[in-house]
Amino acid sequence: MSGKVSSPVSHQGGHLIKAQWHSFLAFVRKPVLPARASGFSGSAAASVLRLFMLDLILMTVLIGAALAASRLGFAMPDTALGNMELSLPLIALVVLGAPVVEELLFRGWLSGRPAHVAPYLIGIAAALLGAVIMRASGWPQPYVAAALGVAAIIAAAVGAWALRGRPPFGWFQRHFRWFYYLSTIAFAAVHLSNYDESSPFVLLLVIPQALAGLIFGFARVTYGLWANIALHILHNSTFISLALISAELT
């Protein structure tokens, strides 16, 4: 006998992690929209934590690659956050504000359910209508924007309530893979604004956001909106913590 004892709990935990990551990779290869997210539960929360572990591993690999490139002489462009003082309001914005707003914008509608899609369609229609009205009439922009904004919020709330419980649109389910991929690309692309340079090399620097977006999108449709927001908060909290530690050490 070797004297080593295998723990059934640790063995089961390793199996669950492997199964979770395999499920995610299978989803990325062939995204399929579930009829309904599972919602919050203890097992769902544990699954989200396992996805966060995957996120950390991927980000660690990318950070290592960036450090290796830096040692080889590649100059990394400055980020917008790097030029800012990490004050408490900024930290709260990065850790809480940005995840909530970005997840609502890029993945709130990804369920394909009418109650979740309708508010975005109403918002887009209100924005287009406002642009047409202001261009045609020359009315003061603040008044038109405020009136349409209030009307859109009310219409979106009423529409979401009236459509609650309905299954995803059939056309959305059929073309879900494109919505999933496009939401990820859009999420990564918007982070290009974090860098001052416009070189094609900058595209490589948003790979972390692209990978995170794939994980967040999977969590959104599998477990619900709470899951991708929680993952995003954990993701941003990790990196803002590293930035604070780095600032203390320099």
Side-chain angles (χ1 to χ4, degrees), residues 110-127:
L110 200 56
S111 68
R113 302 177 73 83
H116 301 155
V117 175
Y120 294 88
L121 297 179
I122 291 171
I124 293 171

Side-chain angles (χ1 to χ4, degrees), residues 22-148:
H22 176 78
S23 177
F24 165 69
L25 292 175
F27 180 89
V28 171
R29 287 194 297 268
K30 189 177 180 180
V32 177
L33 179 64
R36 180 184 292 274
S38 67
F40 181 81
S41 66
S43 61
S47 295
V48 167
L49 289 178
R50 287 190 285 269
L51 287 174
F52 178 56
M53 290 173 59
L54 176 61
D55 179 42
L56 288 180
I57 291 172
L58 293 174
M59 295 307 115
T60 300
V61 171
L62 292 174
I63 290 173
L67 291 175
S70 180
R71 287 183 175 275
L72 291 173
F74 291 95
M76 297 294 173
D78 293 331
T79 66
L81 186 61
N83 297 324
M84 296 180 184
E85 181 183 353
L86 292 177
S87 61
L88 186 59
L90 179 60
I91 292 173
L93 177 63
V94 172
V95 172
L96 297 175
V100 172
V101 172
E102 290 180 353
E103 291 308 312
L104 287 174
L105 179 62
F106 292 103
R107 282 169 283 272
W109 49 273
L110 200 56
S111 68
R113 302 177 73 83
H116 301 155
V117 175
Y120 294 88
L121 297 179
I122 291 171
I124 293 171
L128 293 175
L129 179 61
V132 170
I133 291 175
M134 287 185 285
R135 184 179 179 84
S137 66
W139 290 353
Q141 181 176 351
Y143 297 109
V144 175
L148 284 174

